[in-house]
Amino acid sequence: MREYVAVGERPLHWIGSSLKDIRRFPPQVQRTAGFALSAAQHGGKHPSAKPWKGEGPGVLEVVADFDGDTYRAIYTVRFEQAVYVLHAFQKKSSHGIATRQSDVALVRARMKTAAQHYAEHYD
């Protein structure tokens, strides 16, 4: 993790265990997520990023498949001056494409934490 931010780049903040969790992903998946987060920091959107359903605009997910498994990194660009990584997990749904409710609840709770952090540090 870098200690500096380039001109025009928004700082990246990791909420909860998201950094530790993403570091458990296979290296190829980490690279995909890293490229997507870097694009977000510079105001862009990675081709594999799509809206995360349930939290409204500005919350995105990067979905990457590797070796038969699916990995997700959820982040928000809702805040003008920073990007927040909310959750990173290996998808383990027994109901097809559905996401576990515990993951949905965690994203919702971490979104509140991100909003609180933003208000304290950027407003």
Side-chain angles (χ1 to χ4, degrees):
M1 190 152 94
R2 296 178 301 160
E3 295 186 22
Y4 62 90
V5 178
V7 175
E9 178 183 36
R10 296 189 286 178
L12 184 67
H13 299 282
W14 301 86
I15 304 297
S17 63
S18 58
L19 178 58
K20 181 177 78 172
D21 296 337
I22 211 164
R23 285 184 172 161
R24 291 185 188 143
F25 289 1
Q28 297 88 329
V29 176
Q30 288 183 38
R31 278 192 293 278
T32 299
F35 287 139
L37 294 171
S38 180
Q41 287 181 272
H42 290 90
K45 182 176 168 277
H46 191 273
S48 66
K50 62 183 184 177
W52 167 263
K53 294 180 174 88
E55 286 302 309
V59 179
L60 302 157
E61 69 176 327
V62 177
V63 179
D65 294 320
F66 177 76
D67 200 26
D69 294 316
T70 300
Y71 299 85
R72 292 182 176 185
I74 315 299
Y75 63 97
T76 184
V77 295
R78 189 176 288 170
F79 306 105
E80 186 177 333
Q81 297 179 48
V83 175
Y84 288 87
V85 183
L86 304 172
H87 190 25
F89 60 101
Q90 182 179 352
K91 184 152 174 353
K92 295 181 179 178
S93 175
S94 59
H95 303 295
I97 62 170
T99 301
R100 291 184 307 197
Q101 286 305 307
S102 59
D103 290 316
V104 173
L106 187 58
V107 168
R108 186 169 291 125
R110 288 184 176 175
M111 187 66 196
K112 289 178 184 175
T113 301
Q116 217 171 16
H117 180 272
Y118 190 81
E120 291 170 7
H121 293 89
Y122 294 97
D123 282 348

